[in-house]
């Protein structure tokens, strides 16, 4: 099946990998060639990172084989991957800000003099040579902390490439870059390709894929949807491949009962979002879609008073509200269920009880003393309403399952009877059963007149739950779709390009990489 | 269908209980070991007189350690308490000057000094975002400097009532011990049963989550630093009642001793975990060890060495149990 052209340097055949019963990769075959950019695309959870971690030796595959430079491996160790010139550049930068560019590049492998001291002259000369080879316009003596993020990323790349590299995996390298910084990244990629390196480029942004990739492989649900030369695809076709069939996941039904406007936002601008206008009505769920880094979470933080507003006005129930701290937002009746419950939503080492009642302690006290019975009743009520499975309210929250932890976060806010609830990735890392319960709860809340703003990276969830969908890109709201007109393709188009293309054309049949 | 309220006593939950409370069990076990050792090595150890004295000394260290624990629970630290005790002793002795009629003003002014210092700490930490370590390191030095600029020799005098306080007994127990116990019980109650107490654990547990939960993080921090400084100036008054005079050598090294007591009592230096009853254990262990060594005529340099060994042993044991 798979073609083996002479310059194919890496071939992964029928790779399968399961985690705790979840099949992350179901027989994925993937190959790449020297001097080419091969884009790997797919939604969150499609299996891209797992596949690349197997290549890096971080995971061992359950079955399948890797043929690299003509040698056959059933699995790679991290040592083997490194020694054979496989390099991965992760999204996060791991640099020491007060050290110079050269010191960062050679961290831990500094050239030594005969006396065992660091050979500074050689350090800088070698670093200079590497940067020259990669055509990176950096000053080797400048502290890394003074560089822009794009240039810091260059240092990270230079560090990875300071030793011989034949295959380079870039895991969403553009996620941390602003639009104008992309060109810098592209020129680095182009110079790598000229030197005969095989580049595997993971990205959500289709513009980039079309700009720099020679080939593209689409992964979905742990399987390859197809591999094609980039010229053979249109943007619309690629989007449809990524989104694929819609999962028949059950979402609870509910009649939207759109009431009066509750929250009105006009011209809100912060460091991360620009000129936001939106209105939330009582009883509706508004989905906020967009790629990672498009400003969704930052918008949520702004509406919750966690980030400073540079301009703009927010009305709540017809009155202007000042949102300069979360405490003010809470008092005004806004709640935020943050995206990362472990670091932003819960006190993992405190008892379940304390987590649930923390936001309503003022209502449970008499003469400033917490009434134990009132508190126990509140905890019991939360447990019944949300069906939180716990052995004892004194147990620390960290021992609960993901779904139950999320219910604790929700109950913490529901106790305050908020008018507006912002949910940031409400079902991330939660099993299917608990997901459904959370969807049901969202419906119940809207029936009580609560307005919900739901941020989600799962398109099925956005489409299944939202009465209306707002799409963000580069810190702006670029489009609004009514429930009836929303499709996965349309949301993806808005999120990746910022506008809607004409209706998609019929696709030719996709069967592996015979194109 | 009602779910079971209490967890079944499986081995796992029992183990968890043990793990969570390991520091308290260990610190009180160590106290027992030292006490048994003291009893076996000297007849003078297990006497009413000696033990009541140990409890009285514990009150001195313990009172500030309570405040220090509150600060550490929020994830902060207060390095200035030793210097503040020193300055408080001098200020109260000078203002009192041996006259009963000056006593009220002197006490009020000394406690007021504590509140002021704590307020300034709160201001610098919450408004200017200077780390607590740096803020209180600075004020440690400033207060120390002020105290020794005032005098390097003993100065002023306690009022007669003040002097009597040190030896005053209610039942068999000395008055400073009783004041300390009242404070311990009251602050424990505050920690466990009031909004302020819950917020202290929340801020130390995860400041980001606390902020996103709408908790007034800054006010909580103000509260603990003011309380801590107030308790330090109160301890200054204890010292005046003991010495009868404003002696500028008082207070040296107290900052480290109070931090030690809190750590021995199982309070996490990262905040969010610990209790005042643990700190009581830590303070008791420190003063008991010092007492046994004095009773045995061990010289004070060796005492330091042994105390250090106890700290390392205890903390190494906690780590064992919490993994």
């Amino acid at each position: 099946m798979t073609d083996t052209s002479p310059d194919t340097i890496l071939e992964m055949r029928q790779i399968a990998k399961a985690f705790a019963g979840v099949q992350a990769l179901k027989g994925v075959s993937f190959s790449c060639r020297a001097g080419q950019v091969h884009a790997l695309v797919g939604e969150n959870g499609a299996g891209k990172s797992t596949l690349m971690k197997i290549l890096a030796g971080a995971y061992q595959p359950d079955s399948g084989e890797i043929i690299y430079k003509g040698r056959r491996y059933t699995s790679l160790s991290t040592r083997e991957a490194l020694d054979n010139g496989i390099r991965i550049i992760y999204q996060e930068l791991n640099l020491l800000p007060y050290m110079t560019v050269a010191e960062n590049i050679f961290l831990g492998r500094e050239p030594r003099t005969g006396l065992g001291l660091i050979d500074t002259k050689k350090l800088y000369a070698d670093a200079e040579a590497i940067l020259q080879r990669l055509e990176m316009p950096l000053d080797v003596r400048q502290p890394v902390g003074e560089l822009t993020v794009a240039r810091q990323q260059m240092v990270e790349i230079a560090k990875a490439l300071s030793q011989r590299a034949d295959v380079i995996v870039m895991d969403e390298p553009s996620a941390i870059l602003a639009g104008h910084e992309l060109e810098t990244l592209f020129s680095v990629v182009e110079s790598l390709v000229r030197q005969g390196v095989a580049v595997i480029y993971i990205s959500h942004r289709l513009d980039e894929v079309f700009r720099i990739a020679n080939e593209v492989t689409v992964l979905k649900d742990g399987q390859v949807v197809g591999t094609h030369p980039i010229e053979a695809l249109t943007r619309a076709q690629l989007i449809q491949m990524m989104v694929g069939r819609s999962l028949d996941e059950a979402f609870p039904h509910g009649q939207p009962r759109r009431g009066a406007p509750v929250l009105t936002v006009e011209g809100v601008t912060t460091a991360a979002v620009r000129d936001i206008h939106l209105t939330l009505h009582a009883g509706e769920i508004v989905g906020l879609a967009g790629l990672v880094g498009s400003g969704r979470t930052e918008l949520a933080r702004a509406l919750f008073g966690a980030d400073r507003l540079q301009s703009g006005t927010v009305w709540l129930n017809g009155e202007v509200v000042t949102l300069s701290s979360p405490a003010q937002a809470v008092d005004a009746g806004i709640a935020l269920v943050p995206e990362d419950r472990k670091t932003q939503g819960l006190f993992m080492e405190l008892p379940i009880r304390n987590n649930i009642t923390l936001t309503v302690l003022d209502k449970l006290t008499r003469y400033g003393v917490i009434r134990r019975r009132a508190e126990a009743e509140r905890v019991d009520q939360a447990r019944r309403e949300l069906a939180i499975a716990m052995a004892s309210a004194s147990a620390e929250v960290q021992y609960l399952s993901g779904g139950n932890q999320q219910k604790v976060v929700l109950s913490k806010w529901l106790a305050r009877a908020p008018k507006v609830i912002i949910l940031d990735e409400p079902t991330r890392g939660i099993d299917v059963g608990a997901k459904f319960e959370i969807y049901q709860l969202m419906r119940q809340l809207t029936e009580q007149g609560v307005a919900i703003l739901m941020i989600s990276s799962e398109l099925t969830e956005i489409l299944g739950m939202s009465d209306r969908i707002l799409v963000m890109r580069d810190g702006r709201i670029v489009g609004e779709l009514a429930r009836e007109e929303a499709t996965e393709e349309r949301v993806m188009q808005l999120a990746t390009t910022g506008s809607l293309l004409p209706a998609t054309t019929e696709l030719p049949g996709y069967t592996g990489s015979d194109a | 269908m009602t779910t079971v309220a209490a967890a079944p006593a499986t081995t796992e939950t029992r183990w968890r209980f043990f793990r969570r409370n390991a520091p308290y069990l260990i610190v009180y076990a160590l106290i027992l070991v030292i006490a048994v050792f003291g009893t076996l090595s000297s007849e003078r150890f297990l006497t009413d007189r000696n033990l009541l004295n140990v409890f009285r000394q514990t009150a001195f260290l313990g009172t500030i350690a309570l405040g220090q624990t509150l600060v550490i629970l929020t994830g902060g630290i207060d390095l200035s308490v030793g210097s503040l005790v020193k300055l408080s002793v001098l200020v109260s002795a000078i203002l009192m000057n041996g006259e009963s009629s000056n006593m009220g003003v002197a006490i009020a002014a000394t406690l007021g000094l504590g509140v002021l210092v704590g307020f300034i700490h709160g201001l610098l930490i919450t408004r200017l975002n200077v780390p607590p370590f740096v803020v209180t390191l600075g004020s440690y030095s400033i207060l120390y400097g002020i105290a020794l600029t005032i005098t390097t020799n003993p100065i002023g005098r306690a009022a007669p009532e003040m002097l009597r306080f040190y030896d005053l007994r209610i039942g068999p127990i000395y008055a400073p011990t009783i004041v300390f116990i009242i404070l311990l019980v009251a602050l424990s109650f505050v920690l466990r049963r009031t909004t302020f107490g819950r917020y202290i654990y929340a801020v130390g547990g995860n400041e980001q989550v606390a902020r996103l939960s709408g908790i007034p993080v800054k006010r909580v921090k103000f509260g603990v630093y003011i309380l801590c400084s107030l308790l330090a100036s109160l301890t200054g008054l204890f010292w005046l009642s003991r010495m009868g005079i404003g002696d500028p050598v008082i207070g040296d090294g107290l900052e480290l001793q109070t931090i030690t007591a809190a750590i021995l009592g199982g309070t996490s230096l990262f905040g969010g975990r610990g209790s005042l009853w643990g700190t009581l254990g830590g303070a008791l262990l420190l003063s008991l060890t010092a007492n046994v060594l004095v009773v045995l005529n061990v010289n004070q340099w060796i005492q330091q060495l042994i105390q250090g060994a106890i700290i390392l042993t205890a903390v190494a044991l906690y780590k064992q149990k919490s993994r």
Side-chain angles (χ1 to χ4, degrees), chain A residues 304 306 326-327 330 343-347 349 354 357-359 361 365 368-370 372 375 391 396 399 412-413, chain B residues 3-5 7 16 19-20 189 192-195 198-199 201-202 206 208-215 272-273:
Chain A
F304 193 60
V330 171
T343 62
Q344 298 168 344
L346 291 170
F347 303 96
E349 299 194 337
N354 299 30
T357 59
L358 192 76
T359 54
L361 284 178
T365 52
V369 176
I370 298 165
R372 283 206 171 130
E375 185 175 34
E396 293 171 19
Y399 299 116
K412 170 173 119 177
W413 288 117
Chain B
T3 22
V4 246
R16 217 175 261 170
R19 210 170 54 172
R20 201 184 313 157
F189 184 82
R192 284 153 43 117
R193 294 290 303 280
T194 69
T195 314
R198 287 285 174 85
Y199 287 177
Y201 281 103
N206 188 330
Q208 156 109 316
V209 179
R211 207 168 86 85
L212 289 179
S213 301
I215 288 173
R273 242 170 209 266

Side-chain angles (χ1 to χ4, degrees), chain A residues 166-177:
Chain A
D166 300 303
V167 175
I168 293 166
V169 181
M170 295 185 165
D171 190 358
E172 297 199 40
S174 58
I176 53 170
L177 301 182

Side-chain angles (χ1 to χ4, degrees), chain B residues 28 40 48 85 92 95 103 137 148 154 180 184-185 187 191 195 227-228 231 258 271 293-294 296 312:
Chain B
Y28 285 103
L40 296 179
D48 287 356
V85 168
S92 56
L95 290 179
M103 202 168 71
L137 186 64
L148 292 188
F180 169 63
L184 171 66
V185 171
L187 288 172
L191 265 189
T195 314
L227 264 173
C228 184
L231 290 172
T258 54
L293 296 174
V294 168
L296 294 179
L312 295 181

Side-chain angles (χ1 to χ4, degrees), chain A residues 6-19:
Chain A
D7 40 352
T8 296
I9 181 170
L10 166 74
E11 201 184 331
M12 300 176 84
R13 283 187 189 159
Q14 294 299 319
I15 301 288
K17 176 73 183 173
F19 296 102

Side-chain angles (χ1 to χ4, degrees), chain B residues 81-160:
Chain B
V81 289
S83 295
L84 182 54
V85 168
K86 187 190 296 294
L87 187 59
S88 297
V89 172
L90 298 185
V91 166
S92 56
I94 292 169
L95 290 179
M96 225 170 269
N97 204 16
E99 303 290 335
S100 305
S101 54
N102 295 339
M103 202 168 71
V105 176
I107 289 176
T110 306
L111 297 179
L113 171 72
V115 172
L116 179 70
V117 170
F119 186 80
I120 293 169
H121 287 161
L123 215 55
L124 291 169
I125 289 163
T126 64
R127 302 290 152 184
L128 300 184
N129 265 324
V130 187
F133 188 95
V134 178
V135 167
T136 58
L137 186 64
S139 61
Y140 156 81
S141 195
I142 290 171
L143 295 171
Y144 192 91
I146 294 175
L148 292 188
T149 306
I150 293 174
T151 181
T152 49
N153 295 311
I155 192 174
R157 217 144 50 78

Side-chain angles (χ1 to χ4, degrees), chain A residues 79-99:
Chain A
R79 194 71 255 165
E80 279 172 326
L82 277 176
D83 289 349
N84 288 296
I86 296 173
R87 299 275 175 273
I88 310 239
I89 292 152
Y90 294 101
Q91 264 182 57
E92 320 81 60
L93 300 172
N94 296 303
L95 298 170
L96 303 175
Y98 300 111
M99 289 189 141

